[in-house]
Amino acid sequence: MTDMQRITLARRPKGDPVPEDFSLKTGPVPEPGDGEIVIEVSHLSLDPYMRGRMDDVKSYAPSVGLGETMTGQGVGRVIASKAEGFAVGDLATGMTGWASHAIVKATEARVLPAEIPSSLFLGALGMPGFTAWTGLRKFGRPKAGETLVVAAATGPVGAMVGQLAKAAGLRTIAIAGGPEKCRIATETFGFDAALDHRAYEDASALRTALAEVAPDGVDIYWENVGGKVLEAVLPLMNVGGRIPVCGMISWYGGVEDADDRLPMLWRSVLVKRLHVSGFIIFDHWDEYPEFLAEVPTKVLSGEIKHLEDVAQGLHAMPTAFIAMLKGGNTGKQIVAL
C-alpha cells in the first residue's frame, strides 16, 4: 500500500454525530523525523471520549480541528523508525488517529509483546482496562461485602470494573441496555444482578428496581453514562459512598433535558457525604507497567473475560462510532484495517 487513508472531521456535529460530519482523505505515507516512527495500523480503537473532541470547547485535551484527522489509539507494525528502541517490524501502539498510517513520537509510543493479540491493547489490556483498574483502586476503594453498581456494564471499562470488584468480594450489579446485554453481564462477566435501563420508563422506576437488588444500598457507583441512570442511583448511595466519574455518554449530545434535575442530584452528594472523583486516565500512565504486571495473565487465562466487536475497514469508522454512542456495541468496539 503506497498511500495512506485517514478520516477527518468535516464539520462539528450538532447533537449526535452523523456520517456527513466525517470525510475520508487519501495522501502519501508520511516520513518520520528524528525521534519518530511510522506505524502501519492494523487495528483502531473507538471510544466515547472521541465525541467530546469533536466539539470546539475547552477540555482536558485539545479539540480536533476541522480538516484534522480524528483522534484515537491504534496498534500496528513499525514500517519506518528514526527512534531508539523501535525497529522495523515491531508491534507498537500510540495515538495514531483514524488513519491507515501514522507518525508517532517515540516518547508517545510503546513497543508491544508480539505473543499477545494486538487488539487486546485497545481494550482489556489497553486504555479501557487500565481505566477500570486505576479508577476502581484509587477512587472506588472497594471493600469486601460492599455493593457496586456499574453503568454501561458490558462495555470494556464496565466489564473490567465488575470483574475486578467481584474478585475483591463485592456484590456487583450491572446496568445495561437490553436483555441480551443483561444476560451477558451475568453469564459472561459474573455480575450478581443486571437491570435493563431501557425497560424502565423513568429514573424513579429504575430506582425502585435497583433498590430491590441492592437492599443494603450502593457503596460504589461507577459512572459511565449520566442521565437517567445517575438520577436513579444517587438517592440509593450509602453515606461515604464513592463515585468514580469515568464518562457521561448519555449527555454527550447535549444536557438540556437534564438541567432541571441536576440541583436535586447534587444535593445527594451533600447529604450522603459522597466522594465524587472525576479522573482522566492520561494522568495515570506512570502506573501502566504495574497494570501490565498484574492483569495480562488473568486475561489470557480467561480469569478475566472480555468481548470485542470488530468492524472491517477504515471506511467503517464513522458508522461504528455513531452506533457505539447509541449502545450498538456489546464489547470493546474495534475496527480492523
Side-chain angles (χ1 to χ4, degrees), residues 79-156:
I79 61 170
S81 174
K82 289 188 177 179
E84 291 187 9
F86 292 85
V88 171
D90 282 347
L91 183 66
T93 185
M95 297 302 287
T96 61
W98 295 15
S100 61
H101 301 75
I103 286 182
V104 182
K105 293 180 181 178
T107 54
E108 298 173 358
R110 180 182 296 272
V111 174
L112 300 175
E115 66 274 13
I116 297 178
S118 58
S119 64
L120 282 177
F121 291 99
L122 301 178
L125 299 182
M127 185 171 63
F130 181 54
T131 297
W133 182 83
T134 300
L136 187 63
R137 288 196 322 156
K138 283 193 169 184
F139 306 111
R141 302 186 297 278
K143 304 178 186 66
E146 292 187 327
T147 296
L148 167 94
V149 172
V150 182
T154 63

Side-chain angles (χ1 to χ4, degrees), residues 27-71:
V29 175
E31 294 290 336
D34 290 341
E36 295 178 334
I37 61 174
V38 176
I39 297 177
E40 184 176 40
V41 179
S42 63
H43 295 83
L44 286 165
S45 175
L46 284 174
D47 301 283
Y49 77 85
M50 296 170 177
R51 172 61 187 87
R53 302 289 180 84
M54 299 175 74
D55 294 330
D56 187 16
V57 296
K58 186 176 181 180
S59 186
Y60 62 88
S63 301
V64 177
L66 293 177
E68 293 182 353
T69 304
M70 282 291 297
T71 188

Side-chain angles (χ1 to χ4, degrees), residues 25-300:
K25 304 291 186 182
T26 300
V29 175
E31 294 290 336
D34 290 341
E36 295 178 334
I37 61 174
V38 176
I39 297 177
E40 184 176 40
V41 179
S42 63
H43 295 83
L44 286 165
S45 175
L46 284 174
D47 301 283
Y49 77 85
M50 296 170 177
R51 172 61 187 87
R53 302 289 180 84
M54 299 175 74
D55 294 330
D56 187 16
V57 296
K58 186 176 181 180
S59 186
Y60 62 88
S63 301
V64 177
L66 293 177
E68 293 182 353
T69 304
M70 282 291 297
T71 188
Q73 183 186 3
V75 296
R77 294 289 173 184
V78 176
I79 61 170
S81 174
K82 289 188 177 179
E84 291 187 9
F86 292 85
V88 171
D90 282 347
L91 183 66
T93 185
M95 297 302 287
T96 61
W98 295 15
S100 61
H101 301 75
I103 286 182
V104 182
K105 293 180 181 178
T107 54
E108 298 173 358
R110 180 182 296 272
V111 174
L112 300 175
E115 66 274 13
I116 297 178
S118 58
S119 64
L120 282 177
F121 291 99
L122 301 178
L125 299 182
M127 185 171 63
F130 181 54
T131 297
W133 182 83
T134 300
L136 187 63
R137 288 196 322 156
K138 283 193 169 184
F139 306 111
R141 302 186 297 278
K143 304 178 186 66
E146 292 187 327
T147 296
L148 167 94
V149 172
V150 182
T154 63
V157 176
M160 180 69 80
V161 169
Q163 292 178 89
L164 293 174
K166 184 68 176 176
L170 280 73
R171 175 171 174 76
T172 56
I173 300 170
I175 298 180
E180 176 62 12
K181 288 186 178 180
C182 287
R183 182 192 66 79
I184 290 170
T186 55
E187 294 183 8
T188 300
F189 297 129
F191 282 89
D192 294 299
L195 297 177
D196 174 10
H197 66 83
R198 296 176 181 170
Y200 302 94
E201 181 178 359
D202 54 25
S204 178
L206 177 58
R207 185 182 307 125
T208 298
L210 183 57
E212 293 179 358
V213 296
D216 297 325
V218 177
D219 299 291
I220 306 171
Y221 170 51
W222 184 277
E223 173 64 300
N224 277 324
V225 302
K228 180 174 74 175
V229 178
L230 173 63
E231 186 178 353
V233 174
L234 268 181
L236 301 179
M237 294 295 299
N238 290 328
V239 171
R242 286 84 69 200
I243 304 177
V245 181
C246 179
M248 293 169 287
I249 193 169
S250 73
W251 287 337
Y252 285 171
V255 299
E256 292 81 0
D257 63 339
D259 286 347
D260 62 334
R261 294 190 293 271
L262 286 175
M264 179 276 291
L265 295 177
W266 205 243
R267 185 175 184 274
S268 292
V269 175
L270 172 64
V271 299
K272 299 292 183 66
R273 282 86 87 194
L274 303 180
H275 301 267
V276 181
S277 305
F279 73 101
I280 303 298
I281 196 58
F282 301 139
D283 298 334
H284 303 277
W285 278 111
D286 60 316
E287 298 180 34
Y288 188 60
E290 184 181 351
F291 168 79
L292 288 181
E294 175 184 330
V295 178
T297 55
K298 296 179 180 179
V299 172
L300 294 174

